[in-house]
DNA sequence: ATAGGGGTACGA
DNA sequence: TCGTACCCCTAT
């Protein structure tokens, strides 16, 4: 059994360190792993470590990793696990979450684009849709988070605030807060995996300069995904008005619209916008959902139909009519006992079939 | 809620 | 192994 655990850990370690095409692919790996392990649901310490390792590996394996929404998602999973287990929670979790959320947003400011839709969308996506809907008593909530939220909201209207935000090293801060969180987390619930010593040392050797100071060129090249989707251009002075008018009431449809309008079709014409309905709400199923085998495991012990039951069923059909299974069942609960409407239906089917009615 | 197709577990 | 009882799914 112990050897199985070792094998499992080794496989996961391998998986965590494997290169992924994009964050989407990685995200789906995380989701699948959580689903697989939700079958052994008692092992939530293992799941937490797994999630931590994912972020940790991102930070250590590459000097220019992009802190992204994917990492926020991992925090959501972690929170769910902590809440469910009612175990001691590392206090640094909310600070780390805040710093990551800030970096996920501010990184788009460094693009210095004229119509910085990516920044607008990040504010909307992360701060309006995700954070402002945070439940009461969320482990990820903090006063600091709230302060950032209002700062970022005002930044949409005020270029001075944007400049100030852009000049802070949110990335370095995020990495620092994550480190603090890891350190505390490992003392809180240990670490079933073998430590990533080799990589850790390597990263620490190169730490200076990379985490402290990140210039905008590096961000532009490596810090932000989907850069190809951005419209390149220089920051213009008269952008303020446009920016302001968008930001007063951004909704995704409008933002999408602006982007669509900028896309041209094969013929080179600007694609006309079509009326469209909102897509139906996709129900989100958490991969952490508790696995409940009871519902599917139970099967009643087979009981042969007695002569009396068959007679009662036959009379029931005669008096109430074929198909009134519920009525027939309720009328003779004493005789049918554990049987269900479905059983009556099936029994009648077989009685007809084998001609013993 | 029911009909009916189809699959499978149980027990003799 | 086979017949029966039970289960599950989908359309109505």
């Amino acid at each position: 059994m112990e050897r199985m655990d070792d094998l499992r850990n080794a496989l996961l370690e391998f998986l965590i360190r494997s290169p992924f095409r994009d964050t989407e692919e990685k995200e789906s790996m995380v989701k699948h792993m959580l689903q697989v392990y939700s079958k052994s649901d008692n092992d939530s310490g293992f799941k937490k470590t797994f999630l931590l390792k994912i972020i940790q590996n991102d930070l250590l394996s590459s000097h220019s990793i992009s802190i992204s929404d994917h990492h926020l998602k991992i925090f959501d999973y972690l929170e769910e696990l902590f809440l469910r287990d009612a175990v001691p929670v590392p206090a640094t979790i909310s600070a780390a979450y805040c710093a990551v959320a800030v970096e996920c947003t501010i990184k788009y400011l460094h693009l210095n684009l004229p119509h910085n839709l990516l920044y607008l969308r990040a504010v909307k996506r992360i701060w309006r849709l995700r954070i402002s809907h945070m439940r009461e008593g969320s482990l990820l909530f903090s006063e600091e988070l709230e302060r950032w939220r209002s700062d970022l909201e005002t930044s949409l209207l005020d270029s001075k605030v944007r400049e100030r935000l852009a000049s802070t090293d949110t990335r370095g801060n995020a990495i620092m807060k994550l480190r603090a969180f890891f350190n505390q987390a490992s003392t809180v619930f240990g670490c079933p995996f073998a430590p990533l010593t080799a990589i850790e040392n390597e990263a620490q050797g190169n730490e200076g300069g990379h985490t402290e100071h990140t210039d905008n060129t590096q961000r532009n090249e490596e810090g932000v995904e989907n850069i190809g989707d951005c419209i390149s251009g220089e920051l213009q002075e008269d952008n303020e008005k446009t920016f302001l008018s968008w930001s007063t009431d951004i909704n995704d449809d409008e933002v999408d619209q602006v982007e669509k309008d900028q896309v041209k079709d094969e013929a080179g014409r600007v694609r006309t916008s079509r009326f469209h309905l909102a897509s139906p709400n996709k129900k989100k199923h958490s991969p952490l959902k508790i696995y409940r085998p009871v519902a599917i495991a139970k099967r009643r012990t087979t009981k042969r139909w007695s002569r009396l039951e068959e007679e009662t069923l036959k009379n029931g059909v005669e008096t109430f009519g074929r198909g009134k299974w519920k009525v027939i069942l309720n009328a003779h609960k004493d005789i049918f006992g554990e049987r269900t409407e479905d059983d009556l239906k099936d029994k009648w089917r077989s009685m007809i079939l084998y001609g013993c009615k």
Side-chain angles (χ1 to χ4, degrees):
Chain A
M1 206 55 215
E2 209 163 293
R3 271 168 60 193
M4 282 302 285
D5 283 351
D6 286 348
L7 185 62
R8 177 182 74 169
N9 291 347
L11 279 170
L12 280 175
E13 194 81 30
F14 171 76
L15 208 56
I16 288 169
R17 295 198 204 178
S18 307
F20 291 91
R21 262 202 312 271
D22 46 40
T23 43
E24 209 169 296
E25 192 182 53
K26 189 158 193 171
E27 222 163 280
S28 95
M29 183 277 284
V30 171
K31 216 167 158 184
H32 279 106
M33 289 316 296
L34 290 173
Q35 259 155 1
V36 166
Y37 281 98
S38 69
K39 298 204 165 122
S40 53
D41 214 63
N42 46 353
D43 206 354
S44 81
F46 175 77
K47 274 184 264 181
K48 283 177 212 146
T49 314
F50 170 66
L51 291 169
L52 282 179
K53 288 271 171 183
I54 290 283
I55 310 181
Q56 197 175 26
N57 190 60
D58 282 351
L59 286 183
L60 297 176
S61 61
S62 154
H63 308 306
S64 56
I65 79 117
S66 172
I67 295 177
S68 68
D69 289 37
H70 166 237
H71 298 107
L72 291 176
K73 187 76 207 156
I74 290 186
F75 271 92
D76 284 346
Y77 288 148
L78 278 170
E79 183 197 22
E80 203 177 324
L81 286 168
F82 278 119
L83 283 176
R84 205 174 66 201
D85 296 352
V87 292
V89 180
T92 43
I93 190 170
S94 61
Y97 181 78
C98 179
V100 168
V102 167
E103 165 61 8
C104 283
T105 318
I106 300 290
K107 71 177 183 182
Y108 293 108
L109 261 191
H110 295 271
L111 293 173
N112 279 353
L113 297 174
H115 308 307
N116 200 335
L117 283 173
L118 292 179
Y119 180 65
L120 290 178
R121 299 185 84 167
V123 172
K124 151 118 189 182
R125 185 178 67 241
I126 298 171
W127 299 87
R128 291 194 189 168
L129 294 181
R130 187 183 274 268
I131 290 173
S132 71
H133 292 166
M134 229 169 216
R135 292 178 299 238
E136 278 300 308
S138 167
L139 300 177
L140 305 177
F141 182 82
S142 60
E143 294 293 319
E144 195 191 1
L145 195 70
E146 192 53 38
R147 276 199 300 278
W148 271 104
R149 196 164 76 87
S150 70
D151 270 11
L152 288 164
E153 285 292 344
T154 39
S155 81
L156 294 181
L157 306 167
D158 187 344
S159 67
K160 289 275 181 297
V161 178
R162 285 205 297 282
E163 276 164 33
R164 180 170 61 78
L165 292 180
S167 68
T168 52
D169 182 15
T170 52
R171 183 184 153 82
N173 185 48
I175 291 173
M176 205 175 71
K177 294 284 166 55
L178 282 172
R179 285 240 158 82
F181 173 53
F182 290 143
N183 288 339
Q184 205 192 16
S186 60
T187 61
V188 169
F189 53 84
C191 172
F193 288 10
L196 297 168
T197 34
I199 297 179
E200 194 106 39
N201 293 338
E202 184 196 325
Q204 266 158 16
N206 292 318
E207 205 171 348
H210 272 293
T211 54
E212 304 293 312
H213 175 75
T214 24
D215 59 345
N216 291 347
T217 26
Q218 189 195 338
R219 283 175 183 278
N220 273 349
E221 281 160 13
E222 303 163 39
V224 178
E225 324 87 317
N226 302 327
I227 194 152
D229 299 343
C230 307
I231 322 99
S232 60
E234 315 230 324
L235 186 64
Q236 294 158 15
E237 289 305 319
D238 64 340
N239 275 333
E240 194 60 16
K241 252 183 264 160
T242 342
F243 206 87
L244 222 159
S245 67
W246 286 343
S247 58
T248 44
D249 188 16
I250 326 165
N251 65 50
D252 249 354
D253 289 345
E254 283 173 33
V255 174
D256 284 344
Q257 204 49 62
V258 177
E259 287 199 337
K260 264 187 208 143
D261 288 349
Q262 286 161 346
V263 178
K264 297 190 175 177
D265 64 13
E266 316 82 61
R269 284 166 293 136
V270 172
R271 222 184 266 163
T272 48
S273 53
R274 285 192 304 163
F275 174 79
H276 70 280
L277 297 168
S279 51
N281 282 339
K282 284 180 205 143
K283 191 155 189 179
K284 282 176 193 150
H285 292 287
S286 168
L288 298 171
K289 196 169 175 349
I290 295 172
Y291 176 68
R292 299 179 199 283
V294 261
I296 53 166
K298 197 81 162 266
R299 186 188 164 109
R300 290 172 295 158
T301 43
T302 307
K303 187 168 161 251
R304 259 197 91 84
W305 279 70
S306 66
R307 199 76 233 187
L308 174 63
E309 282 176 310
E310 287 175 358
E311 282 304 311
T312 315
L313 178 58
K314 202 171 135 190
N315 293 333
V317 171
E318 272 162 20
T319 49
F320 301 109
R322 196 200 72 117
K324 303 285 179 195
W325 309 122
K326 201 184 174 77
V327 180
I328 299 171
L329 178 65
N330 287 333
H332 304 286
K333 261 273 160 48
D334 50 328
I335 293 164
F336 292 127
E338 292 269 75
R339 306 218 188 267
T340 68
E341 299 121 80
D342 242 29
D343 293 337
L344 302 202
K345 177 204 64 172
D346 286 339
K347 181 59 186 173
W348 187 254
R349 176 166 56 178
S350 61
M351 281 167 75
I352 299 287
L353 207 59
Y354 304 113
C356 50
K357 77 187 173 95

